[in-house]
């Protein structure tokens, strides 16, 4: 997939991973890079932006091994944003899929 | 180039220390340090972690651009928007086309409207005085076919000139806010190359 295209959807990916559970940075990066091949370093700037915009907050939690970890948590407005972006994404992909399938049908 | 945690942190610090506040920078660095720490605890090497993080220069450029656009949003000034645009240009060559070109077009447009407005505002009263002199019969050379029409015309011209200058101010403010929104979107969408290996 085009790398520019991927970065655009990174925000939805981060929000929806966080909608399932609170994550620490490394965990979040891992969840996403399991599915999408990206420069992992760009997730941290994105998290900062989401925090600035009030979609996520952070808290520290002790871990079994080593010092406490910084966890990211969706706020109420973050949940709303996640929901809206997801709806939008679903509508968009459904429409694109319909077009792609339609085009193939016409070619046959 | 070394590919370890120290080098990654060094590059980020080097690129961002003049821009971000000290505590913001420390907060950011702590995220990356934590990433390396947990990664290593999971048995990955520093070089491996460095590589999958991608270029620290690129991350720094993005953080810088985001920060400067935010600053320009909070405090409207020519200097701030200039820095924000310059930082966004650094994100990719094609932003010469997608950021610099539209910016220059808008600046020229604003300048032209301003200059026309000023010219009308200055020329209007001058033409008004000239029309009066012409009615009094003093100048031998007449610029107005009808000096009375000239009076009204020059008043209209002045009014339009003043409106243009005021309108230009609002137009500039409108472009400023649109520009900020566009830059945010631009930074959000644009990315460069991944790992240098």
């Amino acid at each position: 997939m085009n790398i520019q295209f991927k970065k655009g959807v990174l925000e939805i990916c981060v929000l929806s991973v966080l909608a399932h559970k609170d994550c620490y940075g490394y965990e979040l990066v891992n969840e996403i890079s399991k599915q999408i091949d990206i420069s992992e370093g760009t997730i941290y700037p994105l998290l900062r932006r989401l925090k600035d915009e009030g979609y996520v907050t952070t808290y520290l939690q002790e871990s079994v091994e080593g010092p406490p970890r910084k966890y990211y948590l969706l706020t109420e407005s973050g949940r709303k944003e996640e929901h809206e972006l997801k709806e939008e994404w679903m509508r968009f992909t459904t429409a694109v899929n319909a077009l792609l399938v339609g085009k193939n049908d016409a070619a046959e | 180039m070394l590919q370890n945690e120290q080098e990654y942190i060094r590059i980020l610090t080097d690129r961002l220390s003049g821009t971000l506040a000290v505590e913001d920078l420390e907060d950011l660095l702590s995220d990356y340090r934590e990433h390396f720490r947990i990664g290593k605890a999971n048995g990955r090497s520093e070089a491996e972690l460095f590589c999958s993080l991608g270029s620290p220069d690129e991350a720094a450029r993005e953080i810088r651009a985001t920060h400067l656009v935010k600053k320009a949003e909070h405090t409207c000034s020519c200097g701030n928007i200039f820095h924000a645009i310059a930082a966004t240009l650094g994100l990719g060559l094609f932003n010469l086309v997608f950021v610099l070109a539209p910016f220059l077009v808008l600046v020229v447009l604003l300048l032209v409207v301003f200059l026309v407005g000023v010219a009308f505002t200055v020329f209007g009263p001058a033409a008004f005085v000239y029309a009066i002199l012409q009615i009094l019969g003093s100048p031998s050379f007449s610029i107005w076919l009808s000096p009375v029409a000239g009076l009204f015309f020059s008043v209209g011209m002045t009014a339009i000139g003043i409106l243009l200058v005021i309108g230009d101010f609002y137009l500039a403010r409108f472009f400023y806010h649109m520009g900020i929104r566009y830059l945010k979107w631009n930074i959000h969408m644009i990315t460069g190359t991944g790992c240098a290996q």
Side-chain angles (χ1 to χ4, degrees), chain B residues 3-6 36 40 44-51:
Chain B
Q3 295 202 324
N4 57 26
E5 172 176 352
Q6 202 191 345
F36 273 102
K40 281 189 282 188
R44 293 171 74 188
S45 73
E46 285 193 24
E48 203 182 327
L49 288 161
F50 186 105
C51 183

Side-chain angles (χ1 to χ4, degrees), chain B residues 105-119 164-165 168:
Chain B
V105 168
L106 291 183
V107 167
V108 168
L109 180 73
L110 289 173
L111 203 64
V112 166
V113 172
F114 180 75
L115 290 178
V116 169
V118 168
L164 279 177
V165 172
D168 200 45

Side-chain angles (χ1 to χ4, degrees), chain A residues 10 13-14 17 28-36 38 43:
Chain A
L10 202 54
C13 298
V14 167
V17 171
L28 185 65
V29 167
N30 250 5
E31 288 286 330
I32 289 170
S33 62
K34 257 195 302 200
Q35 306 289 344
I36 312 174
I38 43 139
I43 291 186

